[in-house]
Each structure stands twice: as structure tokens, then as C-alpha cells.
Amino acid sequence: MKIIKSILMICGVLFIGSTLIFAVQQGHLSYEPEKQVTIVDNSDKSVAEEYRITAIEIPADLNFAGEKVPQEDPEIMERIDREFLVNTYWQSNAVLLMKRANKYFPVIEPILAKNGIPDDFKYLAVAESGLQNVVSPAGAAGFWQIMKGTGKEYGLEVNGNVDERYHLGMATQLACEYLKKNKEKFGSWTLAAASYNAGAGAINRYMGIQQETDYYNLLLGEETGRYVFRILAIKEILTHPEKYGFELGKEDLYANVPTFNVKIDKPVEDFATFAKEYGINYKILKRHNPWLREPHLNNASAKEYTIEIPEKGYYTVSR
């Protein structure tokens, strides 16, 4: 009996002790703020609350070089819509085109005007090269993507030492002569533009096979079939950027650096040394004269060349 009483007393002591410990713990914890985990439901959150992708409202009065686009034709409208969507929603490219246009259009526009070529053709240069001195897989080069044979045919010097297809002024003049010739041949500026892309011979063949004389009625290859529509879209977006969601200030655009001309009629052994004589470096010289293709100028014929030199104060050149 004594043993049973002892066991019961021990159990009672243990129970009272554990109760007191639990109470102390609860009292201690009550002084700390309770930490709560908040679960956020993102199931209804928009991926981009401020960004909207919508269809493009096409202007009802599209024209190329004053020639009306037949927008009453649903097939034509689908092709127009494609180019407006592609060029509007390729935002990074469109912004770069706007920036470059501010720099290079002032060079191109007066040459077009002097030759009687509609101003819309500056957008053809944009469609051709993005206003960059690029080279196509077929070997067409420069802003106007002129083939080597065409360049020589129209009087440009094209070789490994000098390639005037990269001279913006000369290349624009060539493009004017080519376009004027094909306008006389085909009777419309729209077909002249198409011939710039496909070649006059190809346009002639398409017209003969299909017995059609209007660009919009011809079934052309993929690239030429999109060509004029792409130019129309580029023209509209660059002319009215704010309508398509682009907000660029004047300070955002690229600008031409003022230059002066230096005429030379003899060889130049080293353009790096030549550049330093005018307070610039080799890179800057070539940036302004990309038609100079090598570090020297051969000029065995004593031809007179005009080299553009930037005015002082626009570039930082190490000494």
C-alpha cells in the first residue's frame, strides 16, 4: 500500500510540474507578436497590366508616291495589315529606324527632290537596309542595296579599294536614275519601286505571263509581293509614330555630325596617319567615309576624291 501511495505522489508531482512549465511557456510567448504567413492569390493578375496588344487601325487613304492603294480589295487589306502589325510590334527595330531616319533623311531628301523622285522613296531605302551599310547574301551593298554590276553600269567605282556603293550621296543619285528609268518603262512609281526589288526583267516577265500592268493585280514572289506594303507601313509609322505608341523626343534621335570636305588626287599610303592630321582617328575617318574600303588609297589614275572630315569638338580622340 505504501508503494502505491508513493507512486501516486510521484505522478502528482510530475503533473503539477509539467502544468507549471506549460503555463510559463505560454506566458512568455504571449509577449511576442504572432508571426503570420500571408498567401497572395495571383491567379487573376495580368501579365502586363499597362501593355495592350491590339489590332492596328489602318488609315483609309494610303498611297505610295501619290498613287492610291486599292484598299477596297480585302486581299490587299490583309497584306497591308500584315506589314502594319509586323512593323508596329517589332518595337525595337521601329525605334532604331526613327532614330536613324533623323540622321540620314536630310542627306537623302534633297537628292530625291533634285531628281524629281517622290519623297516616299526615302522609305524604300529604309525597307532595303534599315539605313545601314549592310551586305545582302546576293552581294548587294549599302543603304540602297546596289549590286556590283549595277553600280559599275551607273558609273560608280566598285573594287576592293574603293566602293562607292557605300557613299550615301552617290548611291542615292544612282537609285534616283534607276527609279526614273523604270518609272518611264512601267508607267507608275509603284511598279518602279517593285522593280527596284525584283529587277525590271522580272517585273516584265510577271506582267507578260499574267497580262496585268498594275502592281496590286500581279501575283509576285514573296519578297516583292510584300515590298510595297512594307514601305507603306514604314512610311505611316515613321510619319505618325505617336499613333502607334512610340514616344521619342528630339534628344532621343541620332544626328549628323557637321563635316567639311577635303579633296585629294593622289594616293594615300596610310589613312591612320592621314586621319591624325585632321585631329581624328582611323575609326572616325572610316565612319564618315565607309566607301574607303582599305587602310590606304591606291589612286594610280590621279582621280579626285572628296573625303568628309568631321568638324572639331564632336568626338573625343585620345592623343
Side-chain angles (χ1 to χ4, degrees):
M1 194 70 178
K2 281 184 178 181
I3 293 172
I4 293 172
K5 286 181 179 180
S6 297
I7 292 171
L8 289 172
M9 286 178 65
I10 291 168
C11 288
V13 170
L14 290 172
F15 175 76
I16 293 168
S18 63
T19 302
L20 289 170
I21 291 168
F22 178 76
V24 170
Q25 287 178 334
Q26 287 292 92
H28 174 71
L29 291 174
S30 67
Y31 287 99
E32 292 183 359
E34 186 175 352
K35 296 180 180 178
Q36 296 183 350
V37 177
T38 303
I39 299 174
V40 179
D41 182 6
N42 286 323
S43 59
D44 294 329
K45 186 175 177 61
S46 172
V47 174
E49 292 181 353
E50 300 301 323
Y51 185 59
R52 295 292 180 268
I53 300 173
T54 65
I56 303 296
E57 183 178 348
I58 308 297
D61 58 348
L62 291 178
N63 74 87
F64 177 72
E67 298 172 358
K68 187 177 181 297
V69 180
Q71 292 176 253
E72 65 280 359
D73 185 325
E75 190 266 345
I76 295 296
M77 283 304 295
E78 284 188 24
R79 292 160 71 186
I80 293 170
D81 190 49
R82 174 184 182 177
E83 301 308 322
F84 268 76
L85 286 168
V86 168
N87 288 281
T88 298
Y89 287 117
W90 189 7
Q91 295 99 327
S92 58
N93 185 65
V95 170
L96 283 170
L97 295 182
M98 293 170 198
K99 287 173 174 278
R100 293 178 192 141
N102 189 69
K103 182 176 183 179
Y104 296 114
F105 278 180
V107 179
I108 294 171
E109 289 166 348
I111 300 173
L112 295 177
K114 181 185 73 175
N115 286 275
I117 304 296
D119 192 63
D120 280 1
F121 277 94
K122 65 190 180 190
Y123 302 107
L124 183 148
V126 179
E128 282 288 330
S129 65
L131 298 178
Q132 299 179 95
N133 276 316
V134 294
V135 180
S136 77
F143 279 42
W144 291 92
Q145 289 291 277
I146 299 167
M147 294 295 290
K148 187 174 183 179
T150 305
K152 289 183 174 181
E153 179 187 346
Y154 281 79
L156 297 187
E157 183 177 350
V158 182
N159 55 56
N161 188 237
V162 170
D163 191 339
E164 291 174 337
R165 294 178 297 168
Y166 293 97
H167 189 294
L168 181 54
M170 291 182 175
T172 304
Q173 180 61 38
L174 183 154
C176 288
E177 294 172 18
Y178 184 92
L179 291 165
K180 190 181 295 184
K181 176 181 176 182
N182 286 322
K183 164 63 163 60
E184 293 173 0
K185 182 180 184 67
F186 295 116
S188 79
W189 287 117
T190 307
L191 278 173
S195 72
Y196 196 93
N197 178 256
I203 297 299
N204 255 335
R205 287 193 297 274
Y206 283 121
M207 291 171 65
I209 292 168
Q210 300 174 36
Q211 300 179 25
E212 286 288 352
T213 59
D214 189 303
Y215 172 83
Y216 299 104
N217 290 331
L218 287 168
L219 179 62
L220 302 166
E222 172 74 7
E223 185 179 346
T224 310
R226 293 181 62 181
Y227 192 65
V228 171
F229 298 101
R230 186 181 178 209
I231 295 170
L232 288 167
I234 291 170
K235 170 189 170 183
E236 173 66 16
I237 295 165
L238 266 62
T239 304
H240 306 290
E242 67 289 340
K243 284 175 57 178
Y244 302 94
F246 296 98
E247 297 180 1
L248 281 78
K250 190 69 176 175
E251 68 281 2
D252 299 318
L253 306 176
Y254 301 149
N256 251 322
V257 170
T259 61
F260 61 92
N261 293 331
V262 173
K263 296 186 181 298
I264 54 172
D265 57 4
K266 50 189 169 185
V268 177
E269 292 184 6
D270 181 7
F271 275 126
T273 301
F274 178 89
K276 287 180 180 179
E277 292 174 5
Y278 293 95
I280 56 175
N281 59 29
Y282 181 85
K283 181 184 76 171
I284 295 170
L285 178 73
K286 287 302 190 78
R287 181 183 296 168
H288 284 271
N289 301 276
W291 53 276
L292 296 170
R293 305 306 292 172
E294 292 185 303
H296 59 274
L297 179 64
N298 296 331
N299 202 9
S301 62
K303 176 180 175 180
E304 184 176 83
Y305 294 93
T306 301
I307 296 179
E308 287 188 5
I309 304 294
E311 298 280 359
K312 290 181 180 179
Y314 287 89
Y315 295 107
T316 302
V317 181
S318 59
R319 296 294 180 185

